[in-house]
Amino acid sequence: MTKQKKIKKQKSENELILPIYFILAVLPFITRMLLYDCGLSGYTWCSQNGIVTDFFTYYKSYIFGLTAIIAGILLAIMVLLYRESIKNMRIFIPAGVYLVCVVLSTIFSVDRHISTIGAMAHFENVLVLFGYVILCVYAYQTVKLQDDFKKIQKVFLVSILLMCVVGLLQMLGQDPMTLRWIQKIIIPAKYQQEYIGALKSDTVTNAVSLTLFNANFAAVYLVMVLAFFLPEIVSLISEKTQPKTDKSRFMKKVGALLFLGILFVLIVKTYSRTALVALLVLLLLFGWFYRYQLKKLWLPLIIGLAVMVGVFVGVDSMSQFRFLTKISSSVTNLFRSENSYSLDSILTNQSDVVIQYNGDTLHLAFADAETEQSSLCFYQEDGSNITNLYNAETSTLDLQPFQDMTFTVANDGTDSCIVVIIEDITWRFCYQMGQGYVYRNDFGKTDQLTKIETFGFKNHEDFASGRGYIWSRSLPLIKQSLFIGTGPDTFLLMFPQNDYVGKANNCKNAYTILEKPHNLYLGIAIQTGVVSLVAFLCFFILYLRNSVTSYRKLDVTNYMDRVGLGCLFATIVYLVCGCFIDSSLQT
């Protein structure tokens, strides 16, 4: 081998980028069943049986952490032995501040075990947070040559094409998770007899979730992929070729258009409104960065937009316009001036139970709680006794707006309980000496129903599939997280999970455990502190400033410019999605 060939080979081979291959191309596919104790059974708002199942997150989390450790070791070796080749690290100062905040929040966490191991379903523990920064620095230091970028792009593309196959199968109602041979791979041997064949798909509505846990995560992933490859696709399809004389280039154009179309169809089939917002932002970004090329691209763009609208309506019509209905309901709810639910609150006090319904207040109690007398008494807000309006035969109260509720007394073998049925939901209250009235939930545990602190979203708690409700309860939590935070992955412990009424109104049921805030920035502010959020934003602001400066005069013929712009597009749409989606390993 000649000296020139050896030099060329050394330049084209970079084994250090193998961890990046793995994170981009392999990690998203890791799926394995795990039965584990979530560790929450001691809380009043959780079932005594804490055993839950995970397929998509636990193993991804720990394999990601292991990869980050390997990358960190390699990075340390590079710094020690090849210091002259290390790039300037000043841009990572905010990331360093963020890591300090992560460490402090873990040390002073409300639950160090959860912060270290990871919480139910999420598993974004301290090691994962460190891994994000370590792998970001690692990629910055190891990916240097244009050939490195091309290899990563090819490996990433192969992975995405396989992921598209998974998405298309889910779209057609044939989730690979339901195939027996797939189940034999992802289900441990000791569980196979019980679960193989019985495992049902989570995509019964034909929504695309890929191998990323849920449709929202899949939507973010797909939009980022589209954003990253968009400059390369536009460059390819805008080249002038003759099908007869340049068949290879022509087929690449056809393949690029087909790839673009499949990505868009899969995004529509996630039914994610967040993805739609991200696509609109991506369109605006494209228009600004390609403003000098729009004269050449205006006709393909108009045709492309028309096709996209047609595909969107056509694909959505296959599911009875589910997506358009969701968009319409979001707009309607946004401009609504009153609550969408009737039950405002239920409070348990020392002397009675207070029900606020349709703007009116009702006080309810045993006639003689200490002797557990089974008769009930009712009072209005002004203290007037209205027990005479109660019909024991029908168990109803002849008083607006409470006439549709039923009030009975039942004995569960331990205590006498007041049983109130409101809009088909059963509420049970018992009296305990020293505590007064308490709520007995469906887990058989008692809990006090107290006033929940909220901020904003009045009459709009159902905004964005209940995100208004979650945010209104999450924003007050920031007051106790200004500097240190409550600890990685501890949001579910800080959220008022005993807000049974709020969850009954805005979630699937009163016992839904909300383990994430559905907002990247809220999650950071609460869990690792507001200072860490500022550091996080500073890092991205520096990146965005440098990138916009570099690519504002885009050279579409330059491969590295196209890759850099694709990274910028993907980052911006991710930050936009972060307003509605949590930080998660899947994205």
Side-chain angles (χ1 to χ4, degrees), residues 158-414:
V158 171
S159 172
I160 291 161
L161 291 175
L162 291 173
M163 194 66 84
C164 285
V165 172
V166 174
L168 289 171
L169 288 172
Q170 290 178 338
M171 176 181 159
L172 298 172
Q174 301 296 322
D175 191 342
M177 285 274 289
T178 61
L179 299 176
R180 291 184 68 87
W181 69 272
I182 293 286
Q183 291 182 9
K184 286 184 178 181
I185 296 173
I186 65 175
I187 299 176
K190 61 181 177 180
Y191 300 125
Q192 288 186 2
Q193 185 174 356
E194 181 181 356
Y195 286 95
I196 285 185
L199 188 65
K200 302 297 181 184
S201 171
D202 288 331
T203 57
V204 289
T205 56
N206 305 128
V208 168
S209 60
L210 307 179
T211 56
L212 303 176
F213 188 33
N214 68 42
N216 282 323
F217 292 158
V220 177
Y221 175 85
L222 290 167
V223 172
M224 289 175 69
V225 167
L226 176 59
F228 174 71
F229 282 101
L230 186 61
E232 198 65 27
I233 292 173
V234 170
S235 174
L236 184 61
I237 63 178
S238 61
E239 290 181 5
K240 292 183 178 180
T241 57
Q242 296 295 328
K244 292 182 178 180
T245 58
D246 195 351
K247 290 184 179 181
S248 174
R249 179 63 63 175
F250 176 73
M251 291 307 296
K252 285 183 179 179
K253 285 188 176 185
V254 173
L257 287 171
L258 183 61
F259 178 58
L260 189 65
I262 290 172
L263 284 177
F264 182 71
V265 168
L266 292 178
I267 290 169
V268 173
K269 290 298 289 185
T270 63
Y271 304 110
S272 171
R273 287 161 287 187
T274 299
L276 189 62
V277 172
L279 284 175
L280 292 174
V281 171
L282 178 59
L283 190 62
L284 293 174
L285 288 171
F286 178 83
W288 192 83
F289 280 97
Y290 280 82
R291 59 194 182 280
Y292 300 116
Q293 288 82 32
L294 287 180
K295 288 182 180 180
K296 298 179 181 179
L297 297 173
W298 68 270
L299 184 58
L301 276 176
I302 292 175
I303 295 173
L305 288 173
V307 171
M308 286 174 66
V309 172
V311 168
F312 176 85
V313 175
V315 171
D316 201 31
S317 67
M318 297 166 61
S319 55
Q320 288 74 50
F321 297 102
R322 176 182 170 186
F323 206 161
L324 286 172
T325 302
K326 289 179 71 174
I327 295 169
S328 175
S329 66
S330 295
V331 174
T332 303
N333 294 343
L334 190 61
F335 294 99
R336 191 184 57 244
S337 60
E338 57 185 26
N339 275 334
S340 61
Y341 46 79
S342 302
L343 181 60
D344 299 315
S345 70
I346 300 177
L347 304 177
T348 54
N349 301 318
Q350 180 68 35
S351 58
D352 58 16
V353 177
V354 183
I355 300 173
Q356 291 186 324
Y357 187 81
N358 273 339
D360 284 334
T361 303
L362 177 69
H363 293 254
L364 169 67
F366 285 116
D368 189 346
E370 294 188 4
T371 61
E372 296 186 354
Q373 187 174 327
S374 60
S375 59
L376 300 173
C377 58
F378 301 84
Y379 299 89
Q380 288 187 304
E381 184 67 6
D382 59 6
S384 57
N385 192 317
I386 54 170
T387 307
N388 61 304
L389 300 178
Y390 176 66
N391 187 329
E393 292 183 0
T394 61
S395 303
T396 58
L397 190 67
D398 188 17
L399 176 70
Q400 290 281 0
F402 307 104
Q403 76 283 354
D404 293 328
M405 302 179 186
T406 62
F407 306 87
T408 56
V409 176
N411 193 296
D412 61 1
T414 306

Side-chain angles (χ1 to χ4, degrees), residues 31-231:
T31 304
R32 181 75 170 170
M33 179 180 173
L34 173 73
L35 264 67
Y36 66 98
D37 189 341
C38 67
L40 303 174
S41 57
Y43 292 92
T44 55
W45 37 264
C46 184
S47 168
Q48 197 63 40
N49 179 13
I51 303 299
V52 294
T53 306
D54 178 88
F55 276 94
F56 304 105
T57 312
Y58 178 86
Y59 287 105
K60 279 189 179 76
S61 171
Y62 281 91
I63 293 173
F64 176 84
L66 179 61
T67 308
I69 290 171
I70 294 170
I73 294 170
L74 293 173
L75 196 59
I77 294 171
M78 288 170 58
V79 171
L80 291 172
L81 301 181
Y82 306 99
R83 187 168 296 179
E84 69 282 354
S85 65
I86 295 297
K87 298 178 188 176
N88 190 294
M89 292 284 289
R90 282 183 300 175
I91 194 172
F92 287 96
I93 292 174
V97 175
Y98 170 79
L99 287 185
V100 171
C101 293
V102 169
V103 171
L104 290 173
S105 66
T106 303
I107 293 172
F108 297 100
S109 173
V110 296
D111 191 320
R112 280 195 291 270
H113 178 76
I114 281 183
S115 292
T116 306
I117 303 301
M120 177 185 72
H122 210 216
F123 292 106
E124 198 174 41
N125 55 41
V126 61
L127 180 59
V128 170
L129 298 185
F130 260 78
Y132 292 153
V133 178
I134 289 170
L135 284 160
C136 183
V137 175
Y138 184 81
Y140 174 69
Q141 294 293 352
T142 57
V143 185
K144 298 178 180 180
L145 302 176
Q146 178 172 301
D147 192 54
D148 294 337
F149 285 94
K150 287 186 175 181
K151 287 180 177 179
I152 290 171
Q153 193 177 55
K154 287 177 182 177
V155 171
F156 190 32
L157 180 60
V158 171
S159 172
I160 291 161
L161 291 175
L162 291 173
M163 194 66 84
C164 285
V165 172
V166 174
L168 289 171
L169 288 172
Q170 290 178 338
M171 176 181 159
L172 298 172
Q174 301 296 322
D175 191 342
M177 285 274 289
T178 61
L179 299 176
R180 291 184 68 87
W181 69 272
I182 293 286
Q183 291 182 9
K184 286 184 178 181
I185 296 173
I186 65 175
I187 299 176
K190 61 181 177 180
Y191 300 125
Q192 288 186 2
Q193 185 174 356
E194 181 181 356
Y195 286 95
I196 285 185
L199 188 65
K200 302 297 181 184
S201 171
D202 288 331
T203 57
V204 289
T205 56
N206 305 128
V208 168
S209 60
L210 307 179
T211 56
L212 303 176
F213 188 33
N214 68 42
N216 282 323
F217 292 158
V220 177
Y221 175 85
L222 290 167
V223 172
M224 289 175 69
V225 167
L226 176 59
F228 174 71
F229 282 101
L230 186 61

